[in-house]
Amino acid sequence: MAAFPLRPQAAESKGRAAQADSGFYAALDLGTNNCRLLVGTPSPQGFRVVDSFSRIVRLGEGLTATGRLSQPAMDRAMSALSACADKLGRRPLRGFAAVATEACRRAANGSEFLARVNRETGISPRVICAREEAQLALASCSPLLQPHDRRAILFDIGGGSTEIAWVRLNGGAPELAGTISIPVGVVTLAEREGDSCFTREGFEAVRDEVAEKLAAFDAVHCIGQEIRQGGVRLIGTSGTVTTLAGTVMDLPRYRRQWVDGVCLDAAEADEALETLFRMGRQGLAAHPCVGPDRADFVLPGCAVYAAIRQLWPVSRLTVADRGLREGMLMRLIQGDRGRAPRRPWC
C-alpha cells in the first residue's frame, strides 16, 4: 500500500496546527470521466497551486447499461489514483480531502471499488451528494461573482450528471437557494446517443430533453422572471464551457490561465457552439482545445449547455476552469483558519 504523511480519513480529525497559513493541502476529485488532484499552499487570495494532476479515466463507462463499474474502467481509475498517491507522498500534508461523485453514487459496486482504492493506495474517497457538489463548486467560483450581482446560475456539466445551483447574493455572501442534479452528463449521453448528437435532429432532441428536465426547477425559483429583472450572472464550470471559451478566443492551445474567469458574450458562445458542431468528430479530434480523448463528449455537453441557454437567456457567460478540488482546498484552509466548519453539507 502506498502511504503519505496524512491519510485522507484523518484530514478532518487532525487538530489545527500553530501555523494555519503554512503547509500543503491537497484535494482529489474522482468523477465519472476524470480523476483530478490539486495541491496548494495558503495565500492571501486563497491558495497557491504547487502541483496538479488530471487524467481522463472514464470510470462511468458502461454504467448506464449495466449499473456497475466495469473492470477496465476501475483499472484505469486505479492507475490514475496510484499516480496521485505517489504525488501525495512527496509532501507532508496539513490537510487532505478526497471525494467521489456520480459514478460511485450510482454503481452497485461503487463501495466495493472504493474499498479497493483504500487498500491499494491509502486514499479513501468519500461519496458526496449532488448538493455538496454544488456547495463545493460555489465555494470555488464565488470569487467570480461581482458586487452588482443579485443572483447567479452556476452549472457544472459533468460526466455522469449535470448540477445546477441557484444562488442568492443580496449584497452579502453567496447563499445556495436551490439545487438540482439531473442524471445526464457527457459520458452518459455519448454512450446513449452514439453518433446522434453529431446530427442536427439528435442534438436538438437532447437539448429539448434537458430543458424539459430543468423546467420545474425554473418554475419553482422563478428564474426566468429574475433574469428579466436583471442582475443574474450565468457561470459555467466544465470542459464544455472552457472549450467554448477556447473556441471564441481562437486559442492555439488550451491554457487554464487564459480561460478561467473570462466573461463571454452569450452570442459569441452560441457561434462557437455552431463552429464545433460543424467540425464533426474528426475536426473536434484535431481541435487544439479538444483532442481525440474528448471528441465524443463535446457535442453532448454542448447540447446540455444549449438547453441551459434556451431556458435561461442571460446575455453573458462567465467561464470557470475550477470546481470541486478548489472548493475542497478552500474548505480545508478556511477550516484551519477557523472561518468555516469542516463538515459535509449533506
Side-chain angles (χ1 to χ4, degrees), residues 53-64:
F53 175 91
S54 180
R55 183 182 297 176
I56 295 174
V57 297
R58 305 192 310 279
L59 179 60
E61 185 177 59
L63 176 60
T64 300

Side-chain angles (χ1 to χ4, degrees), residues 118-129:
N118 182 242
R119 287 194 308 271
E120 297 185 16
T121 70
I123 298 171
S124 184
R126 177 172 58 86
V127 179
I128 61 173
C129 66

Side-chain angles (χ1 to χ4, degrees), residues 153-157 163-164 234-238 241 305 308 317:
I153 305 164
L154 173 61
F155 67 91
D156 181 0
I157 305 169
E163 274 68 47
I164 309 285
L234 182 66
I235 305 178
T237 170
S238 67
V241 292
Y305 168 74
I308 293 168
L317 169 65

Side-chain angles (χ1 to χ4, degrees), residues 56-228:
I56 295 174
V57 297
R58 305 192 310 279
L59 179 60
E61 185 177 59
L63 176 60
T64 300
T66 67
R68 298 179 62 84
L69 304 176
S70 71
Q71 193 61 51
M74 290 189 288
D75 290 343
R76 287 192 300 266
M78 285 302 311
S79 175
L81 289 162
S82 294
C84 291
D86 288 342
K87 283 181 173 289
L88 292 167
R90 297 171 191 168
R91 294 181 175 88
L93 300 179
R94 283 184 43 76
F96 176 58
V99 301
T101 57
E102 182 71 8
C104 290
R105 279 200 298 261
R106 292 177 55 194
N109 59 340
S111 59
E112 177 184 334
F113 168 66
L114 293 179
R116 175 190 170 191
V117 171
N118 182 242
R119 287 194 308 271
E120 297 185 16
T121 70
I123 298 171
S124 184
R126 177 172 58 86
V127 179
I128 61 173
C129 66
R131 183 175 177 84
E132 186 169 359
E133 280 195 64
Q135 287 279 15
L136 290 170
L138 177 58
S140 67
C141 292
S142 59
L144 301 177
L145 297 169
Q146 300 299 316
H148 59 270
D149 295 332
R150 294 188 310 109
R151 304 284 189 271
I153 305 164
L154 173 61
F155 67 91
D156 181 0
I157 305 169
S161 63
T162 294
E163 274 68 47
I164 309 285
W166 177 234
V167 181
R168 183 183 299 114
L169 285 92
N170 292 331
E175 176 188 349
L176 195 62
T179 65
I180 184 174
S181 177
I182 58 174
V184 176
V186 298
V187 174
T188 53
L189 283 172
E191 290 185 354
R192 191 190 79 184
E193 298 296 323
D195 292 336
S196 180
C197 279
F198 288 86
T199 69
R200 183 67 63 181
E201 181 180 6
F203 184 94
E204 292 178 354
V206 170
R207 178 201 64 194
D208 294 345
E209 173 195 344
V210 173
E212 184 177 353
K213 291 179 183 296
L214 296 175
F217 183 75
D218 171 74
V220 166
H221 295 285
C222 303
I223 297 175
Q225 179 179 337
E226 293 282 1
I227 290 172
R228 288 190 290 274

Side-chain angles (χ1 to χ4, degrees), residues 155 200 203 207 234 240-241 243-249 263-279 298-299 301-319:
F155 67 91
R200 183 67 63 181
F203 184 94
R207 178 201 64 194
L234 182 66
T240 298
V241 292
T243 299
L244 288 172
T247 304
V248 169
M249 300 165 72
C263 193
L264 304 178
D265 186 285
E268 291 181 318
D270 292 344
E271 291 176 10
L273 189 156
E274 285 298 316
T275 297
L276 294 169
F277 184 84
R278 290 192 297 268
M279 285 182 177
V298 170
L299 292 186
C302 283
V304 177
Y305 168 74
I308 293 168
R309 171 93 171 102
Q310 175 179 279
L311 195 59
W312 300 313
V314 179
S315 62
R316 305 282 288 173
L317 169 65
T318 300
V319 178

